[in-house]
Amino acid sequence: MSLIFEKETEFTPDFDAEALASAVIDQAADMEQIPYEFEVNLTLVDSEAIRRINREFRGMDQPTDVLSFPNLDFPAPGDFSLLEEESREADYFDMESGLLLLGDIVVNVDRVFSQAEEYGHSPKREYAFLIAHSMLHLCGYDHMEPAQAAVMEEKQNRVLNALGITRDK
């Protein structure tokens, strides 16, 4: 796994943000059995920056906690079979590195702290949750329907529990 980690705003939590992101991404990838070495871009921004991105790409002029931009068009969540089509290689793989370009995650660090307080857990847990949530989006999952939301919630919890990141940590 290759993580392209960028901080576009000040973020000084009491944990190593890049190392934690890498651990969460690796755990989610293992659980989803991603069949290729891959790359994820993670950018940390503030509320104003994510508001601009949300407006530009989703037509929603408001800040949010996290945005996910998957690079793959999954036939079904977690189904990587589309990568077996040779004609699609240029769409999904970096031709120089050979890495699968899974997608981009943008985290609003302002919300990491405010939502941690709101939900009664640590900023570390909130940050890890947002990344786990986004990794599932990058693997084709969504939460628009109650059944989909339940699947995502169970998978997010499995990722965090495997890393020992609980609501009280």
Side-chain angles (χ1 to χ4, degrees):
M1 184 269 297
S2 175
L3 173 62
I4 308 300
F5 182 83
E6 297 180 48
K7 285 175 31 176
E8 294 185 359
T9 191
E10 186 67 28
F11 185 54
T12 54
D14 62 356
F15 55 87
D16 183 331
E18 186 171 359
L20 180 57
S22 184
V24 172
I25 290 167
D26 273 339
Q27 186 63 45
D30 286 349
M31 287 187 172
E32 287 304 306
Q33 300 178 339
I34 297 176
Y36 300 92
E37 288 295 314
F38 64 92
E39 178 178 292
V40 170
N41 294 305
L42 171 62
T43 306
L44 307 182
V45 299
D46 62 17
S47 289
E48 187 53 39
I50 208 163
R51 179 178 159 263
R52 284 192 306 272
I53 296 166
N54 204 18
R55 181 178 57 233
E56 180 180 345
F57 289 97
R58 297 180 62 222
M60 301 177 79
D61 191 13
Q62 61 191 28
T64 189
D65 53 4
V66 65
L67 291 169
S68 309
F69 298 97
N71 188 46
L72 282 74
D73 304 312
F74 289 91
D79 179 357
F80 289 86
S81 65
L82 76 153
L83 298 174
E84 296 168 11
E85 302 171 29
E86 280 188 38
S87 64
R88 307 301 300 263
E89 276 189 1
D91 295 334
Y92 301 123
F93 291 89
D94 180 303
M95 290 298 124
E96 277 186 37
S97 68
L99 295 174
L100 170 63
L101 300 172
L102 200 56
D104 301 297
I105 298 170
V106 182
V107 173
N108 178 351
V109 299
D110 298 332
R111 289 280 181 93
V112 168
F113 293 107
S114 66
Q115 288 180 178
E117 185 173 326
E118 178 182 341
Y119 299 133
H121 54 244
S122 70
K124 177 181 177 180
R125 197 267 181 200
E126 185 64 20
Y127 178 76
F129 169 82
L130 294 174
I131 293 170
H133 180 86
S134 283
M135 271 300 290
L136 291 171
H137 280 307
L138 297 188
C139 291
Y141 293 90
D142 208 343
H143 47 81
M144 299 306 286
E145 303 292 328
Q148 295 172 327
V151 167
M152 277 192 76
E153 186 172 328
E154 185 271 328
K155 287 179 175 285
Q156 290 161 174
N157 287 334
R158 281 185 40 224
V159 168
L160 297 177
N161 289 339
L163 294 170
I165 301 171
T166 58
R167 286 200 177 269
D168 59 340
K169 294 184 180 176

